[in-house]
Structures are given as structure tokens and as C-alpha cells.
Amino acid sequence: MKNKLRRMLKTTETEPKKSPSSTDQERATTAEQAAWLAKGADILTFEEEWIVRLDHRYPLTAQHGHRSFEAVFESLQLPHPPLALDVPLEQIIFFDTETTGLKGTGTTIFLLGFARFEKGELLMRQYFLPHPHYEAALYHHFLLDIGEDVRFVTYNGKSFDWPQIKTRHVFVRERVPRLPKVGHLDLLHVCRRLFKGMYDSYRLTRMEERIGFERTDDLPGFLAPMHYFQYVEHQNPDIMSGVLEHHLHDCLTLVSLYDECNRLVTHRQDASSQIRENIAIWLADLGIHDQSVKHFGQADELTAQGWLRQGMLYKKLRQYEDAKICFEKSGTYEGFIELAKWAEHIAKQPAVAYDYTERAKNMLADHQLLASRRERLVAELDHRSLRLQRKCRR
């Protein structure tokens, strides 16, 4: 696709056609801009360059899937650590891009945009690059609009969209020097945490099932570069209609998906035991212990790993009796190792600790582990058994 774009933009000596005159170019540009203006777009200029900006505004009562934008507006103001964003509401933008490829300095961002709450409504704004050599205008207006300090809410944007912007900005930084202070909430990582073990794929379109949104006649994302190349050749805005709609839905899905995740984390929406367990483990990893305990407590049942992690949480909180119960219910070799530690160091019962150690060794034989890890664990358990035997003889 990159080679195709280069060929389309390159004028070779073998081409019989004469270079268009400046008057012809001006007429073509005027017609192209007029076509965009007829679609309700704005034409933004910067030095000798221009781009297209399209705005859509939605009242808070409007919905994307079964989520109203008013519900998201409320969620954004809840101070819950995993999903809280520490800036005023107007500095939070739900952001996505469309590019000519997946990586590399030759990859061009030809469409970027965001949804943002302002003036009592949701603004959806898109910036389209009509010609690849107009990138300075694209980044000038985009960066001017988002401000000096923003928080992006994206889907895989932390490792792709924003790094790609920084890469492309290098080529125009002499003309557009400023990059804002950026924070990031990547909903891909949030969904993998919340819905672990429940999906075989975490693509954004799969997550749309959770918000009740189904796309109809959607242009697949992998076709977007081809449409852009066709646009560069023909300058017909109709070519980009499907791409623009696909991108718009991507951004609006981020808005509703944020509310879905926030409601689960803040207990404002019923969740399955699996989700409660996943949230509890996530919060424990973040050191938010009180909320982790609450989510564990709301799960009707836990997996073996869930009981183990709850036990580790209680151990950290020095609630040893609660931890003991959880380790027993886990039925794992890790749980029996923890029980052996409890019996030896807390209960001061070396015989009981020895029994737990032997049970851990027996269970370990049935687990598929890396050879190096198995050898290390067996050595540790053998050492523990010998020490406990000596204690029992005293």
C-alpha cells in the first residue's frame, strides 16, 4: 500500500501528460474543497496547506448501544482509581486514528478524531488529511484543538495511536513544535483485566456486544487505506464516507465502553462472579485492598486462582484465619505452600506444616511447569520438609 501511494504521488519522466498549470491545480482544489463543504465540513488552512474537519454533536440523551451519553458523563465524574481521570471533563478525549499501515515511519495517519463532552453535549470531531503532504496542517489544528494537557481514552492507543502521532510529528515539528502533556487510559488493557477468560478475542467490535451496539454495513478497518489511496487519486469525498462512519463508531464505542467498565468497577451494575473475581484481582495488583476485598465478597463463587489470590490479599492484610480458609478452598499446590507457612510461623504447628508441605509436593507432580521452575519448587519443598522434621523431633 505504501508503494502504491508513492506511485500515485510520483510524476515520472515517462508520463506523456503535461504538468497541470497552477490555474488547473487551483480549480481542482476549489472543486475538492467545495465538495467537502457541501457535506457540512469545515476547511482549515495552515500556511500553504489545508485539511478537512467534520463535527457531529449529540445531546446527552442520545445513545450508542444501550448507553446514553448522560450515563458516561456521570461515570467520568466518579473518583474511582482504576478508571479515574484527573483532569476537567473537557480535557478527556475518546480518541482513535486511521492509518495507511500498521507500523513504520512510512505509515501516514490520514484520519484522526475524538469525542469530548463540552457545552452540555457530546462533540464528535474528525480531522481528515486530503493530501499526504499536508501533515503540518493536520497536526497544527488537531493539537491546537485538544489543548496543553489531555487524557486520552483509547483502545490499544497507548501502544499504537499516540506513538504513531509522535513518530509523524517528528517530520513537522519545525513548523508545529508543540506536543501536549498526555495521560492515557487504554480500554483494551481494562477489558482484558475485567473480562479475562470470557472471550477468545478482545477486538473492539467484540467488546461492542457488551454495550449492545451492532454495526450494519460497516466498512472493515483493513479496507480504509485502500479507500484513502483512491481518494488521493480522485479527490471525491464520497469515497471516504464508509471510512468516516467506521471511525466515528469506533470513537463513540469508546464512550459507551468506558461507562460499561466503570459501572462494573464501581458496583453500579450487576456482574458475574468471574468479572467480580477479575476486578478484585486487578485491584489487589494495584494495591487498592479495601475495594478488592469488596469485589471478592460480592462474587458468588471463585475459581481456584480466585481463592488463592483472595487468600494472598488477606495474608497481606494480616487476616490470617480468613487467609487460611481461602488457601484451603483453592486446592492448589500454591495454597498448600501458604498453609505450610501459616502452620509453621503463625500457628507454630510444625507437624501440620509438614503435612501441608507433603501435600503440596504431591500436587506439584500433577502440574505442567517449566523444568527449571519445577526443580526450584521441589528443592524448596524438600528443604522445608527436612526443617519441619527436625522441629517435630524436638
Side-chain angles (χ1 to χ4, degrees), residues 17 90 114 199 274 313:
K17 293 186 296 183
E90 62 272 12
F114 60 82
Y199 294 94
Q274 179 67 67
L313 176 60

Side-chain angles (χ1 to χ4, degrees), residues 176-327:
V176 187
R178 182 187 64 83
L179 278 176
K181 177 183 175 183
V182 170
H184 217 114
L185 175 65
D186 195 325
L187 290 181
L188 171 61
H189 304 308
V190 173
C191 288
R192 283 176 173 169
R193 279 285 199 169
L194 265 60
F195 311 125
K196 182 179 180 180
M198 300 174 62
Y199 294 94
D200 56 359
S201 169
Y202 290 89
R203 295 177 64 86
L204 184 62
T205 50
R206 189 69 191 278
M207 292 298 100
E208 286 177 338
E209 297 173 10
R210 299 205 62 89
I211 61 172
F213 179 71
E214 183 177 357
R215 302 190 188 215
T216 56
D217 301 323
D218 182 57
L219 177 79
F222 69 88
L223 293 179
M226 182 182 71
H227 281 248
Y228 180 61
F229 299 146
Q230 291 177 351
Y231 175 86
V232 172
E233 183 175 3
H234 300 291
Q235 292 89 48
N236 182 357
D238 290 337
I239 295 172
M240 296 305 299
S241 295
V243 179
L244 290 166
E245 183 177 7
H246 174 87
H247 175 258
L248 180 144
H249 287 317
D250 281 351
C251 292
L252 295 184
T253 288
L254 293 177
V255 177
S256 295
L257 186 59
Y258 176 88
D259 184 56
E260 170 75 10
C261 297
N262 195 295
R263 284 177 175 275
L264 292 170
V265 172
T266 55
H267 307 275
R268 293 179 297 136
Q269 179 174 314
D270 292 337
S272 67
S273 290
Q274 179 67 67
I275 292 176
R276 286 283 171 235
E277 178 181 318
N278 290 340
I279 295 174
I281 291 173
W282 180 29
L283 293 169
D285 289 340
L286 293 173
I288 309 173
H289 298 148
D290 57 338
Q291 286 294 321
S292 179
V293 169
K294 188 173 181 179
H295 279 280
F296 271 126
Q298 288 192 341
D300 296 328
E301 57 185 48
L302 299 176
T303 64
Q305 186 66 21
W307 285 116
L308 179 66
R309 291 301 304 271
Q310 187 178 26
M312 296 300 293
L313 176 60
Y314 282 135
K315 177 183 176 182
K316 184 171 290 187
L317 297 174
R318 299 182 181 276
Q319 299 177 24
Y320 297 115
E321 287 301 319
D322 291 330
K324 175 177 176 292
I325 294 172
C326 293
F327 290 140

Side-chain angles (χ1 to χ4, degrees), residues 333-346:
Y333 74 87
E334 299 102 324
F336 283 116
I337 290 174
E338 292 300 326
L339 287 168
K341 295 176 182 177
W342 166 83
E344 180 181 5
H345 302 295
I346 304 299

